[in-house]
Amino acid sequence: MADYETILTERVGNVLKITLNRPERLNAASIELANELTSAFYDLGDARAVLITGAGKGFCSGADLAARGERSALQMKGGSHLALQNHYNPLVSQIMRCPVPVVCAVNGPAAGVGCSIALAGDFVIAGRSAYFLQAFVNIGLVPDGGSTWLLARSIGRARATRMMMLGEKIGADQAEEWGLIYKAVDDAALMDEAMALATLLSEGPTVAYRTMKANIATALDGTLPQVLLAEAEGQSLAGASADAMEGGMAFLQKRKPAFKGA
């Protein structure tokens, strides 16, 4: 496992735990952090689930515009998009394309691209002190890092517009009520609940999970015929896996399946 400067990685069973590790900046996503997090997703090894969280009191406070070498707000207003195209967008895309389930444990603020990183996961669990924020409007900018797509498809046009145009903080309980996240939990229970979920997923049928993720992506943008075809092809792929055979045998033998991820 590679050594990183801005993130920590740890294997817990079949789970790769990634901790954003710039607590003095509420884990603001410098370009270095974005690159290292992207690299970690390329270096999954045989991990069968990923858990992302933040060190200290925040998940991620957004892109770190004050860090050396970052775009300034003035440059952004001038239309610079290289940091997005070359660093932040590839990160969000890599999380969403991850071949294994991704759980995000949100502790404290998830703002700007930090909100995008969180929502790119398959399951988002948030401590009740956490909140989700798109405050770009306050400096005359627009949400980026995939936030527009993620918000509109998860909570609908009206609520996405509310978050983006009014720049309101959306607390964990409200986020759960809206369907923005999977679950809100007490802060003290956050990591235990998130790790329990990631562990459960890491013991499941990995090929089937990967196919489900691909089919959901198709369903978000595709037509019904495209989805029906993707499901049929995916069923064939999953059906040929060792886990499908194990699942069938376990059903017949009335026992819990022991999936191996193959």
Side-chain angles (χ1 to χ4, degrees):
M1 194 171 294
D3 291 327
Y4 299 105
E5 296 293 328
T6 63
I7 64 174
L8 302 174
T9 57
E10 176 188 6
R11 276 294 293 268
V12 182
N14 290 320
V15 177
L16 174 62
K17 180 183 177 184
I18 304 173
T19 303
L20 311 184
N21 192 35
R22 301 185 71 217
E24 73 285 354
R25 298 282 297 163
L26 286 176
N27 302 312
S30 63
I31 284 178
E32 182 181 18
L33 185 146
N35 290 345
E36 290 191 344
L37 188 51
T38 302
S39 178
F41 270 86
Y42 276 109
D43 190 26
L44 294 177
D46 59 354
R48 292 169 57 190
V50 177
L51 171 60
I52 309 175
T53 193
K57 297 181 179 180
F59 180 77
C60 177
S61 57
D64 190 351
L65 304 181
R68 183 179 297 180
E70 300 292 340
R71 303 169 300 170
S72 67
L74 182 60
Q75 286 174 318
M76 290 176 67
K77 287 181 179 180
S80 173
H81 62 281
L82 292 179
L84 279 171
Q85 294 288 59
N86 295 335
H87 305 281
Y88 299 108
N89 291 352
L91 166 59
V92 173
S93 296
Q94 189 66 17
I95 295 172
M96 295 186 70
R97 290 198 304 261
C98 182
V100 300
V102 178
V103 177
C104 292
V106 179
N107 53 312
V113 77
C115 182
S116 300
I117 292 170
L119 298 181
D122 301 300
F123 291 88
V124 184
I125 300 180
R128 288 200 163 86
S129 68
Y131 61 84
F132 301 82
L133 174 65
Q134 294 292 332
F136 294 89
V137 66
N138 296 329
I139 54 173
L141 297 175
V142 301
D144 55 26
S147 289
T148 307
W149 191 94
L150 289 161
L151 290 172
R153 279 166 170 73
S154 60
I155 56 177
R157 177 183 176 184
R159 286 170 172 166
T161 302
R162 173 178 170 179
M163 281 191 71
M164 293 165 61
M165 292 192 178
L166 299 182
E168 294 181 350
K169 293 181 181 179
I170 304 301
D173 285 319
Q174 186 173 18
E176 179 184 1
E177 179 185 344
W178 280 7
L180 182 64
I181 65 172
Y182 167 63
K183 185 190 289 188
V185 300
D186 291 340
D187 289 352
L190 175 62
M191 289 312 302
D192 286 343
E193 292 238 14
M195 182 56 74
L197 176 59
T199 299
L200 175 67
L201 292 165
S202 77
E203 295 171 349
T206 306
V207 175
Y209 287 152
R210 181 168 65 244
T211 306
M212 289 177 198
K213 291 182 64 163
N215 288 351
I216 290 169
T218 300
L220 286 170
D221 288 314
T223 63
L224 177 58
Q226 289 172 326
V227 173
L228 292 172
L229 177 60
E231 288 176 341
E233 292 176 342
Q235 197 70 288
S236 178
L237 177 65
S241 69
D243 279 345
M245 182 175 294
E246 164 62 11
M249 291 298 296
F251 177 79
L252 293 174
Q253 296 169 6
K254 298 183 179 180
R255 60 174 173 81
K256 182 180 179 179
F259 295 122
K260 302 298 183 185

